[in-house]
Amino acid sequence: MERSLSGSGTTLLNENQLHDLVRVAGKDGTREILEAFWESTEGLIDLMRLHVSNSDTQSAASTAHAIKGSAANVGAQSLHEKAQLFETFCRTQELANAADVEAIAELFELTRTVFEQELARI
């Protein structure tokens, strides 16, 4: 099952993937994995902001690629998709801008909230 924002059709969380992670790592282990994900992704978003402010599209693309991969690993589907789109724009030399990074940052925070709610529910 996938959790969506009410009425938006945006899938934030692949619940099956989170439940599988809990089955394998346990609830405490999953919390540790997610804490590492939150911490590293916050740093990557800050790094992406820096790359965009420096007009360094290739480094911004590489950073987005890292976010894309780690988001996919934990089941953060929308974050994965948004990072993939950002990476593609950067790799094709389209100008990434600060608004794009802030949209990823906002989606990250929303995703974190939904994950925490779902993990508490399990």
Side-chain angles (χ1 to χ4, degrees), residues 88-120:
T88 300
F89 285 152
C90 291
R91 295 235 188 262
T92 58
Q93 297 296 329
E94 292 185 38
L95 184 61
N97 63 52
D100 295 329
V101 177
E102 293 315 310
I104 290 172
E106 288 174 20
L107 181 59
F108 169 73
E109 290 303 327
L110 184 58
T111 300
R112 184 179 200 162
T113 299
V114 170
F115 266 75
E116 289 171 354
Q117 290 171 347
E118 181 61 21
L119 195 55

Side-chain angles (χ1 to χ4, degrees), residues 10-30:
T10 301
T11 303
L12 294 173
L13 161 64
N14 181 321
E15 289 181 26
N16 290 334
Q17 194 166 347
L18 180 60
H19 288 239
D20 288 345
L21 187 57
V22 170
R23 242 186 323 278
V24 171
K27 202 167 184 177
D28 289 339
T30 299

Side-chain angles (χ1 to χ4, degrees), residues 33-108:
I33 291 166
L34 289 175
E35 272 307 312
F37 170 70
W38 305 134
E39 186 176 318
S40 68
T41 302
E42 284 175 343
L44 290 169
I45 290 170
D46 287 341
L47 189 56
M48 215 163 39
R49 286 180 177 117
L50 177 65
H51 294 320
V52 168
S53 72
N54 291 331
S55 299
D56 185 351
T57 57
Q58 289 308 303
S59 294
S62 294
T63 304
H65 181 82
I67 293 170
K68 176 184 77 173
S70 59
N73 287 338
V74 298
Q77 188 167 332
S78 291
L79 186 59
H80 164 80
E81 291 168 1
K82 182 73 96 175
Q84 183 175 28
L85 183 61
F86 185 85
E87 177 188 11
T88 300
F89 285 152
C90 291
R91 295 235 188 262
T92 58
Q93 297 296 329
E94 292 185 38
L95 184 61
N97 63 52
D100 295 329
V101 177
E102 293 315 310
I104 290 172
E106 288 174 20
L107 181 59
F108 169 73

